[in-house]
């Protein structure tokens, strides 16, 4: 079969290419509509990296015909052969896509009704008569599905996009989570800017505040049901980590499969480079086909057909995902089933370490700001595009719009606000841009949504070429901190930067100064009480009659220098006070002596602490890794693992089940931590030995209502 003309330019440059199967032929999908899929169609998706490396995906809608699916398989094989077997091949099904596939579409994917047979085409439209309702669902994985334009499609727990001609409404249910709210905003913006070419008008509405034109189409709003639990959190975990290994061969004239091992972990030596194999992970709806580089060409070409026959023989779901992997192109999901998988040229010898899941070894490069422009590897490892000497503009989000910040206050943020930081620099003779969207821990949901909207608008105003980076307070990347030169990044309590003056600085203020492992120094205002102190750090205390710099026993010289800068912001030179030598006026300003973190364990930690979230919001206890900060959602219980002990904070979770998970975590740790003590800590009663691991712990983060709610749960 001759190469299809559409594949002539396939993989020639990095990026995404998408084709739809139309009447047994290929039709390219415009880039601005990538991520839109008709449920009655089949697609071929090629992703090319700069390396280059290639991923080919076939995507099948729930209503796609068998003829189209067969045609897609033929085109997949043709494209793989044209690219000399180098790509990894994936089979994707509506509502069961791989994370690799979903990762290409940053604004989520949209399922549209219909397909080729119904006359629907991928075209940029500005139809003034269009009426469409999209249901946006998911916490980690966001999907937007077209549903009937009726109130029966709505619920309180999700977000919806209502399209009425040129008007695009973002409708938020009263019980929706802010992840869906943010993602729905991004999808609505993409519809306006891509499908409508910027001609549509986007409006935000909450449940119960529907405008007249929406009511005219849907009718009066009835009482709506609560939303169902997130589908992407309800994975059946039974057998999902179990797999079997099969050898596939056509030596007898027909394709057969022979079991090599009935359960994992497998040994890498079981794979012969002259054969093809199937790793059967049907319990998790996944099948992997591994193709040895010296395997029979017929076996290699028939890999997809063989996998589909295997799925049929095993009576697995027809939507089981298939990955076809050439030797040397194994994915992390595949390698997890093997004990001690080694990539090419890796060794277990004492002189060389190796990293599981890494094809190319990464040489560690010391940071040198003078070489950032010439050494891409160093820039990538340290997350630094340059030394921070470029041009900076900062806006604060106010009333759904951005307001310029006084340049003399650059580097100072307020925890109740959101900001846009535009950084411009020169690279290779071209001006490039980064937009940092900084979001305070106590900003409102509306400000979060507005910051996402304004970031996209700012990027669009510069031709859409800027790199966008969302930054949560306390998780600022080293490059953002470097933009403010030698000064620390300062975070004030409240929203005192607002011109409306909604909050004023307290008469007594305390700033916690810490230099992180990435050499980024931050000064964060905390509650002015002695329990906020930490022996590892430096603090600046301002009262109506005094200004102190408190130096803990484990403080660094850099933290002391940063304290001088903060003291200057607060009005002058401070009196330096060493820990254990405090004058009476110091303790008086803090309201008296209290216990605080006095352990130097933070300075001596060999293994960094880890934070996990525990939630049973869906009815099933789910544990997931979190960023090491304290702005977790209210339905999440925090699990902190350190070398000394395992600490838990329970909030609306199954306490007995979480305790059992803690024991399992310790018992299965390959470094040997069986028997490490487990401490159970109640919300609102955290000891300094716990809060000291967090920078600028906020005792009022969750509010008194939540603390009381927890006590009520405990008493039941």
């Amino acid at each position: 079969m001759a190469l299809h003309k559409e594949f002539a330019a396939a993989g020639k440059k990095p990026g995404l290419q998408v084709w739809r199967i139309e009447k047994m032929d290929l039709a390219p999908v415009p880039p601005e509509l990538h991520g839109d899929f008709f449920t009655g169609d089949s697609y071929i998706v090629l992703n090319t990296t700069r390396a280059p490396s290639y991923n080919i995906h076939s995507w099948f809608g729930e209503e796609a015909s068998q003829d189209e699916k067969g045609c897609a398989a033929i085109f997949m094989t043709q494209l793989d052969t044209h690219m000399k077997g180098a790509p990894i091949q994936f089979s994707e099904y509506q509502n069961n896509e791989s994370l690799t596939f979903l990762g290409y579409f940053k604004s989520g994917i949209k399922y549209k009704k219909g397909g080729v047979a119904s006359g629907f085409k991928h075209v940029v439209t500005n139809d003034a008569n269009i009426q469409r309702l999209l249901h946006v669902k998911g916490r980690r994985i966001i999907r937007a599905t077209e549903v009937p334009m009726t109130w029966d499609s709505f619920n309180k727990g999700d977000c919806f996009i209502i399209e009425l001609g040129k008007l695009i409404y973002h409708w938020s249910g009263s019980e929706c989570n802010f992840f869906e709210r943010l993602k729905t905003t991004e999808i609505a913006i993409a519809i306006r800017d891509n499908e409508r070419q910027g001609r549509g008008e986007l409006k935000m509405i909450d449940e119960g505040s529907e405008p007249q034109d929406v009511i005219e189409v849907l009718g009066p709003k009835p009482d709506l049901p609560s939303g169902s639990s997130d589908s992407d959190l309800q994975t059946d975990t039974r057998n999902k980590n179990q797999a079997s290994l099969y050898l596939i061969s056509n030596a007898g004239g027909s394709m057969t499969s022979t079991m090599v091992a009935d359960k994992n972990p497998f040994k890498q030596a079981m794979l012969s480079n002259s054969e093809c194999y199937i790793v059967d992970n049907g319990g998790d709806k996944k099948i992997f086909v591994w193709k040895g580089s010296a395997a029979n060409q017929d076996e290699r070409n028939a890999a997809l057909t063989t996998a589909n026959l295997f799925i049929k023989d095993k009576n697995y779901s027809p939507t089981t995902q298939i990955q076809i992997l050439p030797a040397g192109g194994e994915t992390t999901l595949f390698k997890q089933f093997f004990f001690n998988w080694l990539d090419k040229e890796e060794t277990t010898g004492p002189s060389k370490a190796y990293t599981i899941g890494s094809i190319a070894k990464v040489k560690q490069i010391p940071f040198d700001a003078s070489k950032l422009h010439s050494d891409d590897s160093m820039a990538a490892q340290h997350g630094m595009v340059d030394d921070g000497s470029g041009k900076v503009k900062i806006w604060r989000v106010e009333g759904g719009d951005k307001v310029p910040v006084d340049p003399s206050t650059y580097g100072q943020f307020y925890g109740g606000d959101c900001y846009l930081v535009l950084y411009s620099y020169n690279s290779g003779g071209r001006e490039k841009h980064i937009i940092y969207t900084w979001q305070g821990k106590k900003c409102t949901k509306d400000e979060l949504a507005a910051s996402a909207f304004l970031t996209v608008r700012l990027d669009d105003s510069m031709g859409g070429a800027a790199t966008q980076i969302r930054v949560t307070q306390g998780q600022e990347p080293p490059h953002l901190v470097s933009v403010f030169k030698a000064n620390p990044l300062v975070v004030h309590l409240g929203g005192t930067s607002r011109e409306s003056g909604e909050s004023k600085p307290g008469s007594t203020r305390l700033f916690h100064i810490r230099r992180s492992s990435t050499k980024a120094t931050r000064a964060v205002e905390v509650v002015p009480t002695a329990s906020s102190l930490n022996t590892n750090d430096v603090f600046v205390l301002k009262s109506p009659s005094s200004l102190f710099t408190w130096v803990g026993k484990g403080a660094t010289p850099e933290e002391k220098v940063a304290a001088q800068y903060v003291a200057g912001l607060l009005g002058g030179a401070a009196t330096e006070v060493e820990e254990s030598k405090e004058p009476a006026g110091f303790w008086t300003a803090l309201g008296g002596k209290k216990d605080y973190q006095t352990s130097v364990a933070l300075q001596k930690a060999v293994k960094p602490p880890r934070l996990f979230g525990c939630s049973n919001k869906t009815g099933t206890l789910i544990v997931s890794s979190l960023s090491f900060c304290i702005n977790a959602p209210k339905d999440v219980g925090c699990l902190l693992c350190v070398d000394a002990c395992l600490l838990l904070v329970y909030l609306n979770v199954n306490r007995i089940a979480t305790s059992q998970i803690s024991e399992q975590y310790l018992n299965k740790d390959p470094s040997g931590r069986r028997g490490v003590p487990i401490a159970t800590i109640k919300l609102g009663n955290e000891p300094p030995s716990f809060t000291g691991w967090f920078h600028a712990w906020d005792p009022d983060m969750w509010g008194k209502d939540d603390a009381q709610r927890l006590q009520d749960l405990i008493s039941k």
Side-chain angles (χ1 to χ4, degrees):
M1 184 177 181
L3 180 70
H4 195 285
K5 62 180 181 179
E6 285 294 336
F7 289 155
K12 297 296 184 183
K13 58 183 181 180
L16 203 63
Q17 294 170 273
V18 182
W19 299 272
R20 181 168 72 155
I21 308 299
E22 295 186 3
K23 299 179 180 179
M24 304 302 132
D25 201 358
L26 287 175
V29 175
E32 57 267 32
L33 298 181
H34 287 177
D36 292 10
F37 296 92
F38 285 108
T39 59
D41 289 332
S42 299
Y43 295 78
I44 301 292
V45 177
L46 170 65
N47 184 63
T48 305
T49 70
R50 294 183 180 277
S53 62
Y54 312 95
N55 288 341
I56 304 174
H57 304 257
S58 57
W59 185 92
F60 305 114
E62 291 179 344
E63 301 166 0
S65 69
Q66 283 300 123
D67 288 343
E68 285 186 344
K69 291 180 180 179
C71 185
I74 293 172
F75 282 128
M76 278 265 286
T77 302
Q78 184 184 126
L79 182 56
D80 179 65
T81 302
H82 171 62
M83 305 182 82
K84 304 186 185 306
I88 297 173
Q89 300 178 46
F90 300 76
S91 292
E92 312 284 357
Y93 296 89
Q94 181 181 338
N95 289 310
N96 192 37
E97 296 87 355
S98 67
L99 293 177
T100 300
F101 183 82
L102 294 169
Y104 302 144
F105 311 104
K106 302 307 179 185
S107 296
I109 59 178
K110 299 192 288 291
Y111 300 139
K112 297 182 176 180
K113 288 184 176 180
V116 173
S118 305
F120 291 93
K121 297 181 179 180
H122 280 285
V123 294
V124 178
T125 179
N126 194 33
D127 188 351
N129 299 315
I130 189 172
Q131 290 190 357
R132 183 173 63 167
L133 178 64
L134 293 175
H135 180 187
V136 182
K137 182 70 176 171
R139 188 182 184 90
R140 292 177 296 118
I141 299 170
I142 304 294
R143 294 179 173 90
T145 306
E146 186 174 353
V147 293
M149 182 71 79
T150 169
W151 281 117
D152 292 338
S153 300
F154 286 77
N155 67 70
K156 296 180 178 181
D158 295 326
C159 294
F160 294 78
I161 295 174
I162 306 169
E163 295 184 67
L164 301 178
K166 293 183 178 181
L167 295 175
I168 304 169
Y169 290 101
H170 172 319
W171 185 94
S172 299
S174 57
E175 299 174 1
C176 71
N177 69 62
F178 79 93
F179 296 102
E180 291 172 337
R181 191 181 181 102
L182 283 172
K183 214 64 183 179
T184 304
T185 299
E186 293 181 14
I187 294 173
I189 291 171
I191 291 173
R192 182 200 64 189
D193 295 347
N194 297 330
E195 291 189 33
R196 307 296 184 82
Q197 293 289 281
R199 301 186 188 95
E201 183 180 356
L202 178 58
K203 296 186 177 182
M204 312 280 287
I205 54 175
D206 292 322
E207 179 185 346
S209 62
E210 295 78 14
Q212 186 60 36
D213 49 356
V214 171
I215 295 175
E216 288 178 358
V217 174
L218 292 170
K221 183 183 77 68
D223 290 335
L224 299 177
S226 295
S228 58
S229 56
D230 293 343
S231 59
D232 57 308
L233 295 178
Q234 294 193 50
T235 304
D236 182 359
T237 58
R238 292 172 299 175
N239 302 322
K240 75 172 186 177
N241 293 322
Q242 296 181 10
S244 302
L245 179 65
Y246 292 83
L247 168 70
I248 54 178
S249 173
N250 66 348
S254 60
M255 201 66 68
T256 60
S257 60
T258 305
M259 181 178 288
V260 177
D262 63 345
K263 62 181 180 180
N264 56 297
F266 314 122
K267 295 181 179 179
Q268 191 173 354
M270 293 177 176
L271 303 179
S272 169
N273 200 39
S274 59
E275 304 288 354
C276 294
Y277 297 82
I278 284 179
V279 171
D280 175 12
N281 183 218
D284 199 26
K285 299 182 69 174
K286 292 182 177 65
I287 295 294
F288 303 84
V289 181
W290 185 86
K291 303 186 299 182
S293 58
N296 179 297
Q297 190 61 43
D298 290 338
E299 291 177 356
R300 292 170 57 84
N301 291 343
L304 182 58
T305 301
T306 303
N308 281 317
L309 288 173
F310 186 91
I311 289 170
K312 185 176 181 180
D313 290 343
K314 291 287 187 178
N315 200 29
Y316 289 154
S317 166
T319 61
T320 298
Q321 292 180 11
I322 300 172
Q323 286 190 24
I324 301 178
L325 313 165
E330 297 84 4
T331 61
T332 302
L333 283 177
F334 175 82
K335 288 186 284 189
Q336 71 177 343
F337 296 109
F338 290 80
F339 176 75
N340 203 21
W341 179 279
L342 296 177
D343 288 304
K344 186 178 180 181
E345 297 179 356
E346 291 179 327
T347 176
T348 56
S351 62
K352 284 188 178 180
Y354 70 93
T355 303
I356 294 177
S358 174
I359 292 178
K361 291 181 292 182
V362 179
K363 180 182 178 182
Q364 297 301 310
I365 304 172
F367 181 73
D368 183 351
S370 65
K371 296 181 180 179
L372 279 168
H373 290 295
S374 59
D375 194 332
D376 291 344
S377 297
M378 182 179 65
Q381 283 189 27
H382 296 276
M384 299 284 287
V385 299
D386 68 356
D387 58 1
S389 60
K391 295 182 293 185
V392 183
K393 290 184 179 180
I394 303 180
W395 296 267
R396 186 176 59 255
V397 176
E398 284 192 8
D401 204 352
K402 65 182 195 297
V403 178
V405 171
D406 184 348
S408 66
T409 64
Y410 280 5
Q412 299 183 53
F413 299 85
Y414 287 80
D417 291 329
C418 291
Y419 296 79
L420 270 59
V421 180
L422 173 62
Y423 181 77
S424 303
Y425 65 102
N426 188 280
S427 177
R430 294 175 51 200
E431 186 175 50
K432 295 185 178 181
H433 308 279
I434 299 175
I435 302 173
Y436 291 104
T437 307
W438 189 92
Q439 298 170 337
K441 287 180 180 178
K442 294 194 174 182
C443 65
T444 66
K445 291 183 179 180
D446 288 340
E447 286 174 328
L448 282 172
S451 67
F453 176 87
L454 293 170
T455 297
V456 174
R457 178 188 289 178
L458 179 58
D459 186 15
D460 290 346
S461 71
M462 297 185 297
T467 298
Q468 300 179 28
I469 302 177
R470 184 179 67 86
V471 178
T472 302
Q473 179 184 333
Q475 300 294 310
E476 295 84 5
H479 182 260
L480 175 59
V481 180
S482 75
V483 165
F484 307 113
K485 309 302 183 285
N487 297 328
L489 185 146
V490 180
V491 181
H492 300 268
L493 282 176
T496 51
S497 64
R498 299 171 181 150
E499 293 181 3
S500 56
E502 293 183 9
S503 60
K504 296 181 179 180
S507 58
T508 300
R509 307 179 70 186
L510 182 65
F511 285 82
H512 182 180
I513 300 168
R514 174 177 290 179
R515 183 175 172 86
S516 70
S517 59
T518 61
K519 300 182 179 180
T521 305
R522 300 173 179 85
V524 183
E525 187 174 2
V526 295
V527 177
T529 177
S531 60
S532 296
L533 299 176
N534 190 312
T535 192
N536 299 284
D537 304 318
V538 176
F539 289 76
V540 175
L541 171 64
K542 183 184 185 306
S543 71
S545 59
S546 59
L547 183 61
F548 295 100
T549 295
W550 184 87
V551 182
K553 294 178 180 179
T556 67
E558 293 83 4
E559 290 168 346
K560 293 175 66 175
V561 172
Q564 295 174 6
Y565 171 77
V566 174
L569 295 177
L570 296 177
T575 301
E576 184 172 307
V577 174
E578 293 184 10
E579 184 178 6
S580 76
K581 296 181 181 180
E582 301 87 355
F586 177 83
W587 297 116
T588 300
L590 288 175
K593 289 186 177 182
K594 294 180 181 178
D595 290 336
Y596 63 88
Q597 169 64 293
T598 56
S599 171
V600 293
L602 186 62
Q603 300 292 332
K604 298 179 179 179
V606 176
K607 181 184 292 185
R610 297 187 65 191
L611 183 66
F612 296 86
C614 308
S615 172
N616 64 350
K617 183 178 180 180
T618 65
T620 302
L621 184 64
I622 296 166
V623 181
S624 56
S625 182
L626 300 175
S627 298
F628 201 77
C629 57
I630 60 169
N631 57 339
K634 291 185 178 182
D635 61 278
V636 172
C638 297
L639 171 67
L640 173 65
C641 304
V642 300
D643 279 340
C645 58
L646 191 98
L647 302 174
L648 308 177
V649 175
Y650 295 106
L651 176 56
N652 245 9
V653 297
N654 185 319
R655 293 181 290 132
I656 296 175
T658 309
S659 182
Q660 292 173 345
I661 289 175
S662 305
E663 292 185 27
Q664 293 172 11
Y665 179 90
L666 289 171
N667 293 340
K668 293 182 179 180
D669 191 328
S671 63
R673 297 167 68 195
R674 184 184 295 271
V676 168
I678 299 176
T680 300
I681 300 169
K682 306 301 191 305
L683 177 67
N685 295 288
E686 301 85 1
S689 57
F690 177 83
T691 60
W693 289 98
F694 297 83
H695 183 195
W697 176 271
D698 182 359
D700 299 320
M701 181 72 192
W702 294 281
K704 294 181 180 179
D705 291 341
D706 291 314
Q708 185 59 53
R709 180 161 51 89
L710 179 63
Q711 294 301 324
D712 292 341
L713 285 170
I714 293 172
S715 64
K716 290 182 179 179

